[in-house]
Amino acid sequence: MENISFHAHHSPFGAYASFIIGKLNSGAGFDLSNVQPQNNNFYVGYKRDEENAYLMPFLSSKRQINHEEAYVVKEHEENQANGQIHILTEKDIHRRMTWAQDLWTVNDLEFKIVTPFGHVNELEKMSERETRLCLLPAVFAQLTFDNSASEKTAEVVFGMEGMRRLISDTMGETYRGGACQTSTAFACVHSDEIEEKIGWGMLEQLWEETAVNKLGNEVVLNIKVKPGEKKTYTFVLATYQGGIITSGIPSQFMYTKYFQSIEDVISFALENKDYYLELAQQRDQELQNSDLNEYRQFQIAHATRSYYANTQLMVGSDEKPIWMVNEGEYQMINTFDLTVDQLFYEMRFHPWTTRNVLDLYLQRYGYIDGVKDMDSNHYQGGKSFTHDMGVANMFSPPHYSSYERVNIDGCFSYMTHEQLVNWIICAANYGIKHQDFEWLKEQEDVFKELLDSLINRDRDDDGIMDCDSTRCGTGTEITTYDALDESLGQARNNLYLAVKTWAAYISLEKVFALLGFNDKKKLSHNRANQAASTIVTKFDKEAGYIPAVFEKGNQSKIIPAVEGLIFPFLLGDYDAVSENGRFSHFIQALKKHIKTILVQGECIDAVSGAWKLSSTSYNTWMSKIYISQYIIQHILNMDYSEDEWTGWDIVHSKFQQKSCNDLCAVDQLDSRNGQAMGSRLYPRLVTNILWLSDQETDL
Amino acid sequence: MENISFHAHHSPFGAYASFIIGKLNSGAGFDLSNVQPQNNNFYVGYKRDEENAYLMPFLSSKRQINHEEAYVVKEHEENQANGQIHILTEKDIHRRMTWAQDLWTVNDLEFKIVTPFGHVNELEKMSERETRLCLLPAVFAQLTFDNSASEKTAEVVFGMEGMRRLISDTMGETYRGGACQTSTAFACVHSDEIEEKIGWGMLEQLWEETAVNKLGNEVVLNIKVKPGEKKTYTFVLATYQGGIITSGIPSQFMYTKYFQSIEDVISFALENKDYYLELAQQRDQELQNSDLNEYRQFQIAHATRSYYANTQLMVGSDEKPIWMVNEGEYQMINTFDLTVDQLFYEMRFHPWTTRNVLDLYLQRYGYIDGVKDMDSNHYQGGKSFTHDMGVANMFSPPHYSSYERVNIDGCFSYMTHEQLVNWIICAANYGIKHQDFEWLKEQEDVFKELLDSLINRDRDDDGIMDCDSTRCGTGTEITTYDALDESLGQARNNLYLAVKTWAAYISLEKVFALLGFNDKKKLSHNRANQAASTIVTKFDKEAGYIPAVFEKGNQSKIIPAVEGLIFPFLLGDYDAVSENGRFSHFIQALKKHIKTILVQGECIDAVSGAWKLSSTSYNTWMSKIYISQYIIQHILNMDYSEDEWTGWDIVHSKFQQKSCNDLCAVDQLDSRNGQAMGSRLYPRLVTNILWLSDQETDL
């Protein structure tokens, strides 16, 4: 790994909890019900003789180390016993991030954070034990010290700021570690060579014989490793958020039904550590055994971390599960234009979470609107869905999101058409690919309503949207690309949304075929044809591309023109996305479009060589690039060389490791330099799971 | 009130929750499970014409208003509709703090925070409704606008930063206000003239027609007051902390057994607002009808606020109540040397809370030690109690405090002897004054054990401590005056502790008399005599005072020499504290002592005129001064003039309002200037409730 100094989330499934570490000299720490780095002192290090001690560079930047002291902390004069503490530097350390592990090695010390994850079955199909295994709100750390070639006893330290009590206070002799109140803790199984310490400013007393100041805010474990020994210690990094957490829909964490306290989490985690370490190994092997280059492997691993950081599995007063994915720094709940992109990931590991979100959209966050044409004539509209379900653990009232507002053009306006398309696409994908025909059948009337709703928004019957929702008031609808490029925000006559609408019609066609509604199937089929034909007519033969918006002379060239292709492909309709299939003109036009725009200075950034979604904006979104990359490489099979792909992967990988390294996975970047522009700490980058897909088996 | 710019807590009973406001241009806000000012924007103001609007100076200092903009906020250019916003200044405003209300008036606007409080009966003796009335985790605000002389409609605003949802989202049409997740809210009953708004930076859009951005973090209510009307609106400032809050002893807030959610708190509060407003009026009248000057009335009111801010009534898994008073900025739980001083307050309003603390000290925080003399010979010790029960919602393990550590001289050493004395004094006072003889009887064996323990620490049988606990290791015991003056920290041969020990023996004498143990009664009686005689021998006739420590030539002169007198007095033993009684030599010596030391340059600060506890330290503690003032004025009846007392009251009052105005009630002050030196946001200052006491009825 060329750049090792970047923050990453380390999070269990559905606990909206992270341990964040990785940007050097910027500390580490837990965040609960949010995803922000904490910048607390984190102590990992060792000492083998009186003179020198070594610490990993995880101390908080709040310490404001001055230039001279940056690498050697001079001890308090009265306290020479500690010797010199050397803070290790980037060049001393090797870091490796696998899918489920974040490994740091230096000299004889290996330290890693282990974030086990895997397939999560429907809750009602699991035993209590299986459920506990899946819902444990904790991750792990492991520390290995190789003292086998030494004749001196080594003393290893592991500890952190923000811990305000010893775990032995509540767990007795069996465990050692620290905790803060009832909500965060670290612990390991006790053995005689481990000593627990608590105090203020433990850096000054890391190797002192005893230090117990129970008013302290740092807990450190000192572990003696004898000469000739190589020892590994496993720590749980545990979290617990009890009580009713969300408003609007009162709910508590599902895991609180299975774990009574953070102590309960700790003992279960350490009793079952072998299971979790094995699970992490499985994931690591799965990714390592793929044929993906290291840059893609890294990007998948990094994205996966930030996805889990944002996941939250709750249970309402009716005892039913509520799945939430929070929107990174924005904290919006189940933002629908993220749900549709995270579909690829959830379909692989826990398809029922997507269904759970679709159900809640139906039950609480659907609405029926009217539509208006450009002359402000009003007509019948139909059913659609809100942009999100609220923000920061506060569910918004029924039928309304936290994001959308009336009378706005641009950011914060309604996304009625896009969310309508998103529900159809997600539902078809879930029902058909996961073979949940019973659920599909239950949605029979909904699908019919949604087809009508789509058609009512297309008054000139050309297959694409031409009316805005009356919910917009005097404003107009936007798409998920709201913040990317002003010219792309508009939903009406939008190329990206038109192709996705085509995909929605194909999805409906398949659903109606399955459910046996032949007329609806044909209607959907015809509408897909109309959409494809309309889009083809927008192709500018001279310029060789389709403009982003079919209005006002727009000349933006956008990669997500092809985004919609992914959905028929995932449904197994390879004909629909083939240049020799029934949409051959359409697919050929899109291939030409990509060929034209994917060049330096257009949709390849002239400075950095990164992909950029739009030729007219240097704001670009990695999650969306990943989808289009998969389509262009594996669906359209376009002829870019391996070297070209690797070159792009290197640039994109470096962006995450270096340019926006303090905010975990970042979606919105400046294509020129990879600086974060928004959507920090974001879950959506798991679209890159597509790279791992095997058409036949996985998707 | 000469100085109006100081922060104050506004807190319900036992909810460890505050709304903190009062230091101008420093914002306001809720703090939960802590007592710190929050510095959020708080909007109270009005507008009667297009050109000018007026806001109370409660905006956050984070806004970093520059010098020119300090008084007039220039509106964003596009937004001239708001006109100019004038931030009112200290000279425009009148503030008055009564016992249960904090009133601000300016022009036609009156704004007040109302913190109703009163007697709280034992929980099992109250009906469910009475319990709900007592445990409601909320305070109130009232806003009155007098538009009776105006021909224009006025628009009043009330709102705050930190609120992230509209209360109507979960409470429908009946209420208006804002909330943050499940834990804090403000609300009023809806009427047609009230409009709810939410957004970012509401200052810029305070008077705009509609503003609903549900991603916002500020909620504001706009209220139209018609020409000729004078209207009052009552708001609840509600809090709710659900789930298990404490570790060590898992417990939840008692009120969560009676209120299901913050919405439940809001509706109950507003339905019963008349009860609460009346309760506040009762308290106000009680204080106003006393013969105390305004400075003492203010100090009582201010101290009471910070006391309630630190109170916390929990319920354990055994359904039994757990009373906690947290130690201000230090957050230690039920620090015993605070409990004994807060006794005066709790005995007036809810004596059972003191009993509850004594019970928990017995059950979990007692211990049996050995003792050691100055030559390190070890002997049998006895039962005593820890300094505290933990810190920051974390109960420490059985038999150990969070504060005390082994092998220390000075701050953080053990307080074994002092806490032993404290339990005896509190228990006798509670049992005898509250006439809970059944409880006293249950403690029969405990009292015997504690008498033995006291005697075992006094090996030379002179009535005062001469051995330290073996828990100190190589260190020595300290007293609560640990941080005041190094020479006073020592417990052994300490004048303050010797007098308090005398008081403990008298307390034991009365308890054993009641319980019918004649020999123990006599033994206690004799020990009290020995203590008094010993102390008298320490009187330096030439210098006219008793040194603070009877060792090493100590020459500190301390006011708390008399502190222990309060306890026999409160037990009705006026003879014990009379210069003509059975301890006449002792009391006469103490009076001479005070006469000698209470002079400018000794225990009256030469610069400020404030009292200082020790002649050799300018660190002084208001809570302790209040006790000694009451003793000197009302028990020893010493001949200081009314003018002298008023002069001192003015200095002490000004310290709280001006010198340490950003941290609510502060205990540890610099006697020269009133600057805070520690013990900020502190509960103990309610010792000044003594001023309100009527010997016969109240105490």
Side-chain angles (χ1 to χ4, degrees), chain B residues 508-522:
Chain B
L508 283 171
E509 183 186 349
K510 299 205 178 302
V511 168
F512 288 126
L514 258 173
L515 298 178
F517 296 100
N518 228 0
D519 51 341
K520 298 285 176 196
K521 176 191 155 208
K522 277 186 191 150

Side-chain angles (χ1 to χ4, degrees), chain A residues 164-165 169-170 180-182 200 212-215 243-248 331-332 391-394 397 401-403 405 412, chain B residues 164-165 169-170 180-182 200 212-215 243-248 331-332 391-394 397 401-403 405 412:
Chain A
R164 301 194 58 183
R165 60 182 176 101
D169 285 357
T170 50
C180 185
Q181 299 171 338
T182 57
W200 294 306
V212 174
N213 162 12
K214 291 198 173 185
L215 299 177
I244 301 295
I245 298 288
T246 55
S247 61
Q331 295 191 273
M332 279 180 277
V391 62
N393 280 337
M394 297 170 290
S401 68
S402 61
Y403 174 94
R405 301 185 227 157
F412 304 119
Chain B
R164 302 194 57 184
R165 60 181 175 101
D169 285 357
T170 50
C180 184
Q181 298 171 339
T182 57
W200 293 307
V212 174
N213 161 14
K214 290 198 173 185
L215 299 176
I244 301 296
I245 298 288
T246 56
S247 62
Q331 295 192 274
M332 280 179 277
V391 63
N393 280 338
M394 296 169 292
S401 69
S402 62
Y403 175 94
R405 301 184 227 159
F412 305 117

Side-chain angles (χ1 to χ4, degrees), chain A residues 412-567:
Chain A
F412 304 119
S413 183
Y414 276 84
M415 295 194 192
T416 309
H417 196 281
E418 173 146 18
Q419 309 312 358
L420 169 57
V421 163
N422 284 341
W423 199 95
I424 293 168
I425 283 172
C426 289
N429 227 281
Y430 165 76
I432 295 171
K433 294 295 294 179
H434 193 51
Q435 304 191 346
D436 191 346
F437 303 127
E438 192 180 332
W439 184 83
L440 274 185
K441 182 93 187 114
E442 283 164 19
Q443 316 311 327
E444 185 178 299
D445 291 341
V446 177
F447 281 112
K448 289 178 187 167
E449 265 190 286
L450 299 182
L451 175 59
D452 290 345
S453 182
L454 264 186
I455 290 172
N456 286 349
R457 287 157 216 281
D458 171 21
R459 293 194 53 83
D460 63 3
D461 292 329
D462 65 351
I464 69 172
M465 167 189 173
D466 49 39
C467 283
D468 287 287
S469 173
T470 49
R471 277 210 168 188
C472 296
T474 60
T476 51
E477 282 184 43
I478 58 171
T479 76
T480 189
Y481 286 107
D482 53 350
L484 180 71
D485 185 344
E486 210 171 321
S487 72
L488 305 191
Q490 170 185 326
R492 199 183 56 241
N493 281 321
N494 175 303
L495 171 59
Y496 148 76
L497 191 54
V499 177
K500 221 167 151 183
T501 304
W502 165 82
Y505 281 124
I506 293 177
S507 302
L508 283 171
E509 181 186 350
K510 297 201 179 306
V511 168
F512 289 126
L514 259 172
L515 298 177
F517 296 98
N518 229 1
D519 52 340
K520 299 283 178 196
K521 177 193 154 207
K522 275 186 194 152
L523 182 54
S524 305
H525 177 86
N526 292 342
R527 285 275 163 172
N529 286 344
Q530 284 167 341
S533 302
T534 300
I535 297 164
V536 169
T537 66
K538 307 298 180 184
F539 187 79
D540 181 334
K541 282 186 186 141
E542 202 170 324
Y545 75 99
I546 310 170
V549 179
F550 316 144
E551 273 184 22
K552 301 168 195 157
N554 179 289
Q555 299 190 349
S556 290
K557 306 174 183 74
I558 59 162
I559 293 176
V562 299
E563 192 177 310
L565 301 190
I566 191 71
F567 302 107

Side-chain angles (χ1 to χ4, degrees), chain B residues 422-433:
Chain B
N422 284 341
W423 199 96
I424 293 167
I425 283 171
C426 289
N429 227 280
Y430 165 76
I432 294 171
K433 294 294 294 179

Side-chain angles (χ1 to χ4, degrees), chain B residues 373-662:
Chain B
D373 65 17
M374 287 184 70
D375 300 321
S376 294
N377 300 309
H378 285 218
Y379 307 99
Q380 190 182 349
K383 190 177 188 68
S384 185
F385 304 91
T386 59
H387 166 271
D388 60 72
M389 300 181 175
V391 63
N393 280 338
M394 296 169 292
F395 280 99
S396 52
H399 321 305
Y400 286 90
S401 69
S402 62
Y403 175 94
E404 289 156 313
R405 301 184 227 159
V406 73
N407 300 336
I408 282 183
D409 292 297
C411 208
F412 305 117
S413 184
Y414 276 84
M415 295 195 192
T416 309
H417 196 280
E418 173 146 19
Q419 309 312 358
L420 169 56
V421 163
N422 284 341
W423 199 96
I424 293 167
I425 283 171
C426 289
N429 227 280
Y430 165 76
I432 294 171
K433 294 294 294 179
H434 193 54
Q435 304 191 346
D436 190 346
F437 303 127
E438 192 180 332
W439 183 83
L440 273 185
K441 181 92 185 119
E442 282 165 17
Q443 317 310 328
E444 186 179 299
D445 290 341
V446 177
F447 280 112
K448 289 177 187 166
E449 265 190 286
L450 298 183
L451 174 60
D452 290 345
S453 182
L454 264 185
I455 291 170
N456 287 349
R457 289 159 214 281
D458 170 23
R459 292 194 54 83
D460 64 3
D461 293 330
D462 63 353
I464 70 172
M465 168 189 173
D466 49 40
C467 282
D468 287 288
S469 173
T470 49
R471 277 213 167 186
C472 296
T474 61
T476 51
E477 282 183 44
I478 57 171
T479 76
T480 189
Y481 287 107
D482 52 351
L484 181 71
D485 184 345
E486 209 170 323
S487 72
L488 306 191
Q490 170 185 328
R492 199 183 57 241
N493 281 320
N494 174 304
L495 171 58
Y496 147 77
L497 191 54
V499 177
K500 220 166 151 183
T501 305
W502 166 83
Y505 282 124
I506 293 177
S507 302
L508 283 171
E509 183 186 349
K510 299 205 178 302
V511 168
F512 288 126
L514 258 173
L515 298 178
F517 296 100
N518 228 0
D519 51 341
K520 298 285 176 196
K521 176 191 155 208
K522 277 186 191 150
L523 182 53
S524 305
H525 176 86
N526 293 339
R527 285 277 163 171
N529 287 342
Q530 284 166 340
S533 302
T534 301
I535 296 164
V536 169
T537 66
K538 307 299 180 184
F539 187 79
D540 180 334
K541 283 186 186 139
E542 200 169 326
Y545 76 99
I546 310 169
V549 179
F550 316 144
E551 274 185 21
K552 302 169 195 158
N554 179 290
Q555 298 190 349
S556 290
K557 305 174 183 73
I558 58 163
I559 293 175
V562 300
E563 190 177 311
L565 302 190
I566 190 71
F567 302 106
F569 175 81
L570 292 182
L571 290 175
D573 189 349
Y574 308 129
D575 177 78
V577 295
S578 161
E579 60 190 319
N580 307 315
R582 65 190 190 279
F583 297 108
S584 58
H585 295 303
F586 175 56
I587 300 300
Q588 283 163 19
L590 287 173
K591 286 187 81 161
K592 281 182 203 149
H593 171 90
I594 292 297
K595 201 72 201 167
T596 302
I597 70 171
L598 204 58
V599 296
Q600 202 92 348
E602 296 286 1
C603 290
I604 302 292
D605 190 274
V607 180
S608 69
W611 283 36
K612 50 192 294 223
L613 290 172
S614 165
S615 63
T616 51
S617 173
Y618 50 80
N619 185 339
T620 197
W621 302 0
M622 287 313 305
S623 65
K624 292 295 203 179
I625 286 174
Y626 296 142
I627 304 175
S628 288
Q629 284 193 323
Y630 182 76
I631 294 163
I632 292 166
Q633 188 173 17
H634 295 291
I635 301 180
L636 298 178
N637 298 308
M638 294 182 68
D639 53 355
Y640 300 102
S641 70
E642 271 308 307
D643 281 356
E644 280 175 298
W645 284 113
T646 308
W648 291 324
D649 293 338
I650 289 173
V651 175
H652 297 160
S653 187
K654 199 179 284 183
F655 277 2
Q656 295 294 332
Q657 287 180 13
K658 194 155 184 176
S659 315
C660 57
N661 57 20
D662 51 355

